[in-house]
């Protein structure tokens, strides 16, 4: 008789956990008793209720960490995507972990501030007569920060700069 065959219900529970998307492994100890599980679906349900919030919290924190790394590398588009993914996951857990939603909102505010800083930098460039660099920077802000207020401000500022350039100011 193989060890796997003797595990029966315990192995079935592990297989169910794996099917549900959890990483787990059955520890096989020779000579240890394996108590048969009458209904492993109840154990799975209990385990999922305990583990699911922890897993989601870990996923949200990982997305936030990834987004911050992207901000440091100045890859704002990817940072925004990570923050949006974290926001969706955090919304599902806002009753249990409201601090996650706050962390995501803080991150989005920081990203917004970076975008607005780039818009003001473009204004300075335009004031110095470096129109091409200003347009390039504003286009980058529109593309990288799409969906945020900074992108809307960049678009409005670009149109304003076009008018100012035509007038010769």
């Amino acid at each position: 008789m193989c060890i796997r065959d003797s595990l029966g219900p315990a192995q079935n529970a592990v297989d169910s956990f794996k099917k549900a998307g959890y990483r787990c492994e059955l520890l096989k100890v020779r000579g240890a008793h394996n108590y048969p599980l009458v209904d492993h679906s109840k154990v799975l349900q209990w385990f999922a209720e305990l583990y699911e919030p922890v897993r989601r919290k870990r996923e949200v924190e990982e997305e936030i960490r990834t987004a911050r790394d992207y901000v440091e590398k100045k890859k704002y588009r990817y940072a925004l995507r990570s923050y949006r993914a974290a926001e969706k996951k955090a919304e599902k857990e806002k009753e249990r972990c409201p601090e996650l939603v706050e962390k995501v909102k803080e991150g989005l505010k920081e990203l917004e501030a970076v975008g607005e800083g780039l818009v003001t930098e473009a204004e300075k460039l335009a004031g110095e007569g470096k129109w091409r660099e200003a347009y390039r920077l504003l286009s980058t802000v529109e593309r990288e920060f799409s969906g945020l207020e900074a992108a809307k401000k960049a678009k409005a500022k670009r149109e304003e700069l076009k008018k100012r350039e035509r007038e010769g100011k």
Side-chain angles (χ1 to χ4, degrees), residues 13-42:
V14 169
D15 292 341
S16 297
F17 285 133
K18 287 181 179 179
K19 232 184 237 182
Y22 299 102
R23 280 185 259 145
C24 65
E25 192 174 314
L26 186 61
L27 184 62
K28 300 168 188 154
V29 180
R30 291 190 181 275
H33 296 286
N34 289 312
Y35 295 101
L37 297 172
V38 179
D39 185 10
H40 70 272
S41 63
K42 289 181 182 176

Side-chain angles (χ1 to χ4, degrees), residues 63-131:
E63 287 286 351
I64 291 171
R65 208 173 305 116
T66 303
R68 287 186 179 148
D69 290 343
Y70 281 133
V71 170
E72 288 175 11
K73 295 176 185 175
K74 296 186 178 185
K75 295 184 176 184
Y76 303 116
R77 182 185 312 174
Y78 299 114
L80 183 60
R81 285 180 189 166
S82 290
Y83 276 127
R84 294 288 185 208
E87 186 177 39
K88 283 182 184 178
K89 292 175 184 176
E91 283 297 319
K92 293 177 183 175
E93 292 298 315
K94 71 179 177 183
E95 292 175 7
R96 292 183 189 168
C97 299
E99 69 274 1
L100 288 179
V101 177
E102 292 302 316
K103 280 184 182 178
V104 172
K105 286 182 181 178
E106 288 173 15
L108 285 170
K109 284 179 186 176
E110 291 171 9
L111 196 61
E112 183 75 39
V114 169
E116 289 176 4
L118 292 174
V119 171
T120 56
E121 187 179 326
E123 284 180 40
K124 289 178 186 175
L125 288 172
E128 296 170 2
K130 299 178 182 175
W131 300 101

